[in-house]
Each structure stands twice: as structure tokens, then as C-alpha cells.
Amino acid sequence: MEQSLQYKPSIARLAGYALFFGMLFVPTKYQSIRLVLLVVVLLAIVGAWLFGVLKVRRGLLMVVILVATLGTVFTLYGEMRNNPGASAGISVYIVWPLVFALLVSGISERSHLDHLFRVMVFAANAIGAYGCTWILVQQGKLPRWLFVVTIDQSQIYYSPAPGASTASFTTLATLTFLLPFAAALLVTWPHKMKVPVRRRWLVSACLLGLALAVLSGRRGLLLGVALTPLVLAVLGVVISRRGLKGRLGVPVAFAVVFALLVAWWVGLDAGAVWGRLLSGFVSSSREDDTVRAEQFWQLWQGFSDSPFVGHGFGATVAQVRDPLRPWAYELSYMDLLFTTGIVGGALYLFALSAPAAKLVSATRRAPWLAPYATPVLAGWVAFLVANATNPYLDKFDSLWVVFLPAALLNVMAGSRDTDPSQGASEYRSFAR
């Protein structure tokens, strides 16, 4: 945000990066501190607007207005139906998209992307190191004095079991994006172009993140990791039109061997880990899977009763997971279909996918953007897949994932570096 915040460059810039790191490393926690940082950044961006330095791009503005309008309509619809949680979605579906539109407008130069990428890689290393250390302490492999003072990350539970274990804390949701992002950045960034982060930091982020995925046993995270090679292969064809041509083989093989070594070292059963991963594709008898299956059919039945416009925000079905928030369900996309119907679901799908689709096409006009777009879209896909059974996007600290493709588009729109020949050969050299 250097150019956009010329009158207070250091304060605004550091506040913005600190705010972003807080979203990544301690989501939903230390909110009073991050609220102060958010206010500082927003005031700086509004000030830049008043000086005529910044503007919100029309495409982003139209998408945000669509989302806010949909949020308003389905909130009022829910209120008309006396749904108990009708007003609960005001922040997520109306207020926060407007806030993130302001934040995205402050990202207007390539140097801003480089700084954001550095923050994300640093956060991936911090999450991996902290999470692995915490789990190994629970397992007795590291001394407990390492956590005399802990960072509040909502360490919900650690559940040991013969040959398997599971752990859960909020920062694992961030890693669902960051691990595929770091892996894609390491594998696909052209060797002839200067990478925003030293490659050794990317390697450590990938190794620590992969180790944490194995140790935590979180299915959504494991599923995102497993899908990353396929996503990268598809993106390689879509963006460069030539594919990765064998560049994935060695990294994938190394990742599999490393994951097996981690599992062996801590005494995990590789078969149990593999079975947990497969349970993401097929039904199982695990209690949480049974609950989700029942939840799915109840939401589907509710959707069938009002398929076109749904039941409005805050509607409920017979199954209640949280007595304090009976309208909250893990199956976020099914819940969206239940509350907004085919019409609302289609419009939300358009709002979600339009920036990503436009980002892919934008790499044709600005080839220098392709190395940035590939890791962002890899993380974007993995995160949205995991969001299907874990409502990550119901929180302010996860909405940045949705708006990151728009940030890249904003940089491209404001950049003079749009020569189609610049960066094309460097980017596509990795496919040769």
C-alpha cells in the first residue's frame, strides 16, 4: 500500500500486514487488537480515496454490490419467515464483503503482492512450526515447558488413538489454503524470475505444513493436500496452455515419502491415515460422518420444499448441532442451497467464481501475472473444497481467500506492466 498511503506509509503498511498475519495465524482470536489495526488500515484507504489516489474497480464493485444485495434480500426474507438466525448473516453476507472491497482497493501494485506473498509464507512456517510442536508436546515427544506460555489458537482438542490421532485448532483452516499455495509457488514459479520469497522458506513451509497435516489427521486438510497435484496439473494447462510436463513427479514422490516418514516416526498407521482421507470421498460409519449424512438429507428435504428461493437466512431443520446457533450447519454449500434456493445459489456461485475466472483470462493480457495467479488459485480451490464440510467462510478471518483473486486483478488493472511479451517466456519456460 506504499503508493496509496503516501501521507502515512509506514503506519498503514505495517498495520495492514500485521492485520493480515493475524487473520492467518490467530483467526477469530485477539479481536480487539486486530480491530484497531483494521480501523487504521480502513482510515488510511479512505484517506487515499479522498486524495484521489485509489478507486474501487468497477468489476469488483459490481460483484460486491451483488453479494450485499443478495445478503440483504435473503436476510429480510428470513425475517419475514421468522427464522431464528435471520440476522446472524448480516456481517458475513453484507458488512464484511464491503469491508474487504475497501481492503482490496488498497492493493494496487506488484510490490504489494510480493509483500502479501511473504506474509503468507511466513505465516505458513509459523503455523506449521507451532502446530507440529504443540501436537508433539501432547504426544510426549517434546518437553511441555515449550508451552508454558501459549498463543490462543482455540486448541479445541487432541485425541490420541492406536495408530492414529486427531487434533483441531482454528489455524488449520488457514493452512488448508497456505499449504497448496506454498507448494504451487515452489513448483511453478519460473526459475528465471525473482521469487517473492526465498525458496528455502517455501521448502520449510511445505515440509512443516505437510507434517502438520499428517499429525493433525484433519480430513479437509489432507484432502486439500491430496488434490493439489491434480489442481496444479489443470492450472498448468489452463494458464500456460502447455502443462507442467513432468515437473510434478519428483515433488509429489518426495512429499509422499516425507509424509510416510512422519507417520512412521510418531507411530501412526499409514493405512488409518489413508482410510481417513478416503472417507472424504465415500461414506463411513464414523460418528461425525453419520451426523453430516443425516444433516445433508434434512437440508436436501428442506431445499426440495422450496427449491427456487429457499427458506431465507437463519432457517433451521430438525437436526440441531449447536443449541445456541441452531441455524449453523457444517455442510456450508448445502446450507446455502437450503436458505437461498437455486436462484440465490446460482448468483452466489457467479459472485464467487467470476473473479477467479477473470483472473485466468487476465493472464493472457498480463503474462507477468500468471506466476502469482497459479499459487493463489491452487490454494483457492483447496480451501473451497474443504469449506464444503467446514463452514470456514462464515468467519471474517477466512473471507480474504475469496477476495484474493480480486486483489490480483486490481493490481493488474492499476499496473502499466501489461506488455503481453513481458514475462511470457520466463513463465512458460517451466513447461519446457
Side-chain angles (χ1 to χ4, degrees):
M1 300 180 185
E2 292 88 347
Q3 177 182 348
S4 62
L5 308 172
Q6 291 178 353
Y7 52 94
K8 283 290 184 182
S10 60
I11 295 176
R13 182 171 63 249
L14 293 177
Y17 298 143
L19 173 66
F20 189 40
F21 179 78
M23 293 180 188
L24 300 174
F25 188 58
V26 282
T28 75
K29 296 299 178 181
Y30 303 99
Q31 295 185 6
S32 58
I33 298 175
R34 291 191 290 118
L35 178 60
V36 172
L37 295 174
L38 178 62
V39 170
V40 170
V41 175
L42 291 179
L43 288 177
I45 291 176
V46 171
W49 275 11
L50 296 178
F51 282 100
V53 177
L54 289 179
K55 63 178 180 179
V56 177
R57 303 292 171 180
R58 183 175 60 181
L60 173 61
L61 185 61
M62 291 176 62
V63 169
V64 171
I65 290 176
L66 171 62
V67 171
T69 301
L70 288 173
T72 302
V73 169
F74 283 105
T75 296
L76 293 176
Y77 181 37
E79 292 287 358
M80 291 174 56
R81 295 175 61 95
N82 296 317
N83 294 341
S87 61
I90 290 178
S91 59
V92 174
Y93 293 102
I94 302 176
V95 178
W96 295 143
L98 297 174
V99 171
F100 271 97
L102 289 173
L103 295 176
V104 166
S105 69
I107 305 171
S108 58
E109 299 178 8
R110 289 179 63 176
S111 62
H112 303 162
L113 294 182
D114 291 337
H115 291 316
L116 290 178
F117 274 39
R118 292 178 189 122
V119 171
M120 286 191 283
V121 173
F122 179 70
N125 278 279
I127 292 169
Y130 185 91
C132 288
T133 303
W134 184 79
I135 293 175
L136 292 175
V137 166
Q138 310 308 311
Q139 294 179 345
K141 294 186 176 296
L142 292 178
R144 289 194 171 273
W145 60 260
L146 290 174
F147 279 88
V148 172
V149 178
T150 60
I151 300 173
D152 186 2
Q153 285 191 321
S154 291
Q155 286 143 356
I156 302 173
Y157 66 82
Y158 170 75
S159 176
S165 62
T166 55
S168 177
F169 36 96
T170 56
T171 195
L172 291 178
T174 304
L175 197 63
T176 303
F177 176 95
L178 292 181
L179 183 50
F181 164 82
L185 189 58
L186 178 64
V187 172
T188 66
W189 192 273
H191 293 292
K192 294 182 180 181
M193 292 180 63
K194 183 179 179 181
V195 66
V197 187
R198 294 183 183 274
R199 293 185 186 272
R200 61 173 174 265
W201 288 108
L202 290 173
V203 172
S204 63
C206 292
L207 294 180
L208 288 170
L210 182 57
L212 181 54
V214 173
L215 292 173
S216 67
R218 301 301 298 170
R219 185 171 54 193
L221 182 54
L222 290 170
L223 184 59
V225 172
L227 290 177
T228 296
L230 176 61
V231 173
L232 289 181
V234 173
L235 289 175
V237 173
V238 171
I239 292 180
S240 73
R241 295 184 178 179
R242 300 183 64 175
L244 296 177
K245 291 194 174 180
R247 283 184 62 97
L248 290 175
V250 173
V252 169
F254 180 83
V256 171
V257 172
F258 178 77
L260 291 174
L261 287 175
V262 171
W264 169 79
W265 179 56
V266 298
L268 296 179
D269 183 353
V273 176
W274 178 250
R276 182 163 179 78
L277 175 60
L278 287 181
S279 68
F281 299 95
V282 297
S283 60
S284 72
S285 59
R286 294 176 65 251
E287 180 181 356
D288 56 345
D289 290 335
T290 302
V291 170
R292 281 179 168 84
E294 182 180 352
Q295 185 182 120
F296 173 87
W297 289 114
Q298 290 190 17
L299 290 171
W300 177 261
Q301 181 60 49
F303 161 72
S304 301
D305 294 338
S306 181
F308 293 105
V309 294
H311 298 267
F313 288 151
T316 62
V317 294
Q319 187 187 79
V320 175
R321 291 286 279 169
D322 183 356
L324 299 178
R325 300 173 68 245
W327 57 86
Y329 300 100
E330 289 95 338
L331 303 181
S332 56
Y333 300 139
M334 194 63 224
D335 182 35
L336 186 65
L337 195 61
F338 165 65
T339 55
T340 65
I342 295 174
V343 174
L347 291 173
Y348 272 116
L349 177 62
F350 168 78
L352 181 65
S353 60
K358 188 169 180 60
L359 179 59
V360 172
S361 65
T363 59
R364 309 280 186 257
R365 300 189 301 275
W368 63 265
L369 193 62
Y372 293 92
T374 302
V376 166
L377 291 176
W380 182 83
V381 170
F383 191 90
L384 292 182
V385 169
N387 185 70
T389 56
N390 297 276
Y392 297 138
L393 292 179
D394 284 353
K395 301 177 180 63
F396 171 81
D397 294 296
S398 295
L399 286 175
W400 60 269
V401 174
V402 176
F403 284 86
L404 199 54
L408 270 66
L409 289 173
N410 195 60
V411 171
M412 189 208 72
S415 174
R416 297 178 181 177
D417 185 17
T418 55
D419 181 1
S421 65
Q422 185 168 353
S425 60
E426 290 88 343
Y427 176 66
R428 291 172 182 167
S429 65
F430 76 82
R432 297 173 182 171

